[in-house]
Amino acid sequence: MLRAKSFSVLPGFNLALGYTLLYLSIIVLIPLAAVFVKASEFSLAEFWAVVTADRVVASYKLSFGASLLAAIINMVFGLMLAWALVRYTFPGKKIVDALVDLPFALPTAVAGIALTALYAKNGWLGQFIEGELGIKVAFAPLGILIALVFIGLPFVVRTVQPILEDLETELEEAAASLGANRWQTFRHVVLPILLPALLTGFALAFARAVGEYGSVIFIAGNIPMVSEITPLMIITKLEQYDYTGATAIAVVMLIFSFIMLLAINGLQAWTAKRTGRDR
């Protein structure tokens, strides 16, 4: 039996695929390949010596450690914020909902300057936190953590929010009618449904934080072995005209980014399967 040919406003598959691959190659694949080609100018021993230098390793620990901690914080408080936006009505709700996307729209350099001015020793908050409590925020790893929390929060909120909107409250009411308290209802009914989306938001926030530069560079202080992030090490190598060394560090970050991308895609597929969105 002959099948009716479906109408499409886009070109045929072969032409569309060709344009897609060409565009993807020019924008993504060729530049990424150039990074590996440039790094191949090093021998394996030289490459290993560059990417495992003490100063570079310290930047790995700070970038990955602070990013992981920021993503965990965002996972907890992002869930709470998404819950409040979905389940409750309060004055200024639309304003709060719009402010969640502010880190997306705000230039990262502006965010970094604002956070530095706020948490510096003579800033609005810094004069109390550092002056009264003795806790140094700006120009310290704690300031980096705050900046990474700021830029990563929207990923968790916007990932969890649509799942919460689709979650039927009847499930919670049924659990309550069977004698479950609030914690038991959240743990055994709500959390298993939200967990895939929550992990996806966590992974997205983590991946975003690892590569962040603009909002961190101002508040970090950039003290060697203390508050230098890995993207700054790449910039430092470039300023020293050590292009091969910069690309070697970039390759390490790129490989990690690929791993994170695979993890995010896997979590998104799991989320779609758990929520029935893959049908």
Side-chain angles (χ1 to χ4, degrees):
M1 180 180 296
L2 295 177
R3 294 183 179 178
K5 185 177 180 180
S6 60
F7 175 76
S8 175
V9 297
L10 297 177
F13 173 75
N14 293 333
L15 184 59
L17 180 61
Y19 277 124
T20 300
L21 293 178
L22 176 63
Y23 181 81
L24 184 64
S25 298
I26 294 174
I27 300 299
V28 179
L29 298 181
I30 294 177
L32 293 184
V35 173
F36 286 95
V37 171
K38 186 66 177 179
S40 65
E41 295 179 5
F42 274 145
S43 66
L44 185 59
E46 291 173 333
F47 176 86
W48 185 254
V50 170
V51 300
T52 58
D54 292 341
R55 190 172 171 183
V56 177
V57 171
S59 74
Y60 293 152
K61 292 179 180 178
L62 178 59
S63 290
F64 294 132
S67 299
L68 178 62
L69 184 56
I72 293 174
I73 294 173
N74 280 327
M75 185 170 63
V76 175
F77 290 97
L79 173 60
M80 295 173 62
L81 180 55
W83 188 278
L85 290 173
V86 172
R87 292 299 178 89
Y88 300 102
T89 301
F90 53 89
K93 176 180 177 179
K94 291 184 178 180
I95 297 177
V96 174
D97 192 34
L99 287 176
V100 170
D101 294 325
L102 183 61
F104 287 149
L106 191 68
T108 54
V110 175
I113 294 173
L115 291 173
T116 304
L118 188 64
Y119 289 102
K121 189 174 183 179
N122 59 346
W124 291 351
L125 296 179
Q127 59 182 327
F128 300 105
I129 298 175
E130 186 172 349
E132 301 294 335
L133 302 178
I135 301 175
K136 188 175 180 61
V137 179
F139 316 125
L142 181 57
I144 297 176
L145 177 64
I146 292 175
L148 296 182
V149 170
F150 174 80
I151 58 98
L153 180 63
F155 291 95
V156 177
V157 176
R158 295 311 185 203
T159 304
V160 174
Q161 197 171 359
I163 306 301
L164 272 174
E165 290 173 349
D166 292 340
L167 182 62
E168 298 179 356
T169 56
E170 287 79 1
L171 295 175
E172 301 167 47
E173 294 171 356
S177 66
L178 294 173
N181 56 36
R182 292 185 177 182
W183 168 244
Q184 290 173 329
T185 301
F186 176 77
R187 180 182 177 184
H188 297 290
V189 178
V190 178
L191 186 59
I193 298 174
L194 296 180
L195 186 59
L198 199 58
L199 291 177
T200 300
F202 166 82
L204 288 171
F206 182 41
R208 174 73 168 84
V210 167
E212 178 61 19
Y213 178 78
S215 63
V216 174
I217 194 67
F218 294 100
I219 199 172
N222 310 320
I223 304 172
M225 307 294 293
V226 176
S227 59
E228 281 186 328
I229 58 175
T230 304
L232 176 62
M233 293 304 305
I234 297 175
I235 298 297
T236 302
K237 293 284 186 182
L238 291 175
E239 290 176 345
Q240 297 171 352
Y241 300 101
D242 184 5
Y243 301 117
T244 308
T247 53
I249 301 175
V251 164
V252 175
M253 298 293 289
L254 187 57
I255 292 174
F256 183 81
S257 297
F258 277 129
I259 296 173
M260 287 301 303
L261 181 62
L262 292 175
I264 291 170
N265 287 336
L267 287 172
Q268 288 175 338
W270 184 37
T271 302
K273 185 176 180 180
R274 287 287 298 269
T275 58
R277 294 175 182 264
D278 59 338
R279 298 173 183 175

